[in-house]
Amino acid sequence: MAWYPRATKYELQPESDSQPAIRPTQFIVHSIIAPWTAKRVYEYWRDSTNLESHFGLGYEGDLGQFIGTETRADANAGANRRADGTGAVSIETASNLQGSDPWTDAQVEELIRLGVWLHQHHGIPLRICRTHTDPGFGYHSMFSQWSTSGTACPGKARIKQFREVVFPAIVARATGKTPAPTSPPKENDVALSDADIKRVADAVVDRLLSKDAFDAPRDAADYSPDPKSPQHYWSGRSVFADLVTRVRRIDATLTKKES
């Protein structure tokens, strides 16, 4: 099995040891339809399903690897492992709940770097797959044989990015036409003014209150146990309002007992 040096290793067991070997000939990209970090994708594979991908990629460019790239991962239906032993390497990438947003710059960069490594390490050819068995690079909805019941994954915006940005950059970088980015020169710290600090603090609070990033309480009227459902999450504002209501309820109960 092969482990990508830039990825954090979150090894899935027993799948990593028990699933059959493959000879990787394709790289297939997915959107997981959830705003998850790489670690959260790992936890979902570990705790909630018998499926898995080789890699998971968060919005901030955090990349995790769950299974070696020469071991089968079950994210691509007919491309997982074929009768001749070939198979696809898969990556699930964080997205919004509708699967409609583009990859972030950080995600694009990590997809490019991983694609170059897969070409160099496994010899995956620098072309977009022409058929469902053709070696190369592709995305989940490209061929019906790569899904069990049809899919639009990774979404229109990301398919456009894949064809116009990600794949051309993999080719260019792998062939030496564009160098890999280097770390920018270190800049001197500049002190923030009180007004700057207030603006940052206000923006953070507003983000926490408005973003659907918190697990909803199980006793919520519209609660869904499905982590991919919008009803599984609450905004910070909803969580805060619920806490206030619960505290007042407890206070009222205690006051009544004392009287």
Side-chain angles (χ1 to χ4, degrees):
M1 63 180 66
W3 296 89
Y4 178 46
R6 284 182 60 84
T8 300
K9 187 177 181 179
Y10 300 110
E11 189 170 8
L12 283 169
Q13 289 293 356
E15 294 88 347
S16 185
D17 290 337
S18 64
Q19 294 185 171
I22 63 169
R23 179 168 58 85
T25 58
Q26 296 171 324
F27 180 41
I28 301 176
V29 297
H30 302 243
S31 290
I32 200 164
I33 317 301
W36 290 346
T37 63
K39 185 177 181 182
R40 180 65 183 89
V41 175
Y42 162 72
E43 292 168 346
Y44 179 69
W45 294 147
R46 182 192 64 191
D47 301 333
S48 303
T49 179
N50 60 355
L51 302 178
E52 69 284 316
S53 58
H54 289 95
F55 295 92
L57 178 62
Y59 274 131
E60 302 301 321
D62 48 300
L63 180 65
Q65 185 173 357
F66 318 126
I67 289 182
T69 52
E70 293 170 317
T71 300
R72 188 195 75 199
D74 297 328
N76 312 293
N80 293 335
R81 185 180 188 276
R82 302 181 184 87
D84 63 359
T86 62
V89 174
S90 53
I91 185 168
E92 290 283 0
T93 59
S95 71
N96 62 21
L97 298 178
Q98 296 74 40
S100 59
D101 58 339
W103 286 306
T104 65
D105 290 346
Q107 287 178 307
V108 167
E109 177 58 29
E110 291 305 324
L111 288 170
I112 294 167
R113 286 178 179 266
L114 178 56
V116 172
W117 181 81
L118 289 169
H119 166 69
Q120 294 173 341
H121 191 81
H122 292 304
I124 295 178
L126 296 172
R127 65 173 180 242
I128 293 177
C129 298
R130 298 164 296 187
T131 69
H132 68 97
T133 59
D134 186 42
F137 293 73
Y139 48 85
H140 194 198
S141 61
M142 183 176 284
F143 298 106
S144 60
Q145 293 88 346
W146 290 356
S147 64
T148 56
S149 55
T151 179
C153 174
K156 290 183 179 179
R158 296 183 177 195
I159 291 172
K160 180 178 173 65
Q161 278 181 299
F162 174 84
R163 290 187 173 276
E164 297 181 1
V165 180
V166 174
F167 179 70
I170 290 172
V171 174
R173 201 172 295 177
T175 55
K177 293 181 180 178
T178 58
T182 57
S183 299
K186 188 175 181 180
E187 298 179 357
N188 294 327
D189 292 336
V190 177
L192 295 176
S193 66
D194 290 343
D196 290 333
I197 294 172
K198 184 179 184 302
R199 278 195 292 270
V200 172
D202 289 346
V204 170
V205 170
D206 182 68
R207 178 71 168 168
L208 288 173
L209 289 177
S210 60
K211 185 179 180 182
D212 291 336
F214 300 90
D215 287 353
R218 294 178 181 273
D219 59 354
D222 60 349
Y223 173 77
S224 170
D226 182 3
K228 294 190 176 183
S229 168
Q231 282 70 44
H232 186 79
Y233 301 96
W234 271 13
S235 68
R237 187 172 283 105
S238 297
V239 171
F240 182 74
D242 183 65
L243 286 173
V244 171
T245 300
R246 291 173 187 267
V247 169
R248 286 177 174 171
R249 191 181 301 150
I250 293 171
D251 182 65
T253 301
L254 293 175
T255 302
K256 184 175 181 181
K257 287 184 177 179
E258 290 175 356
S259 61

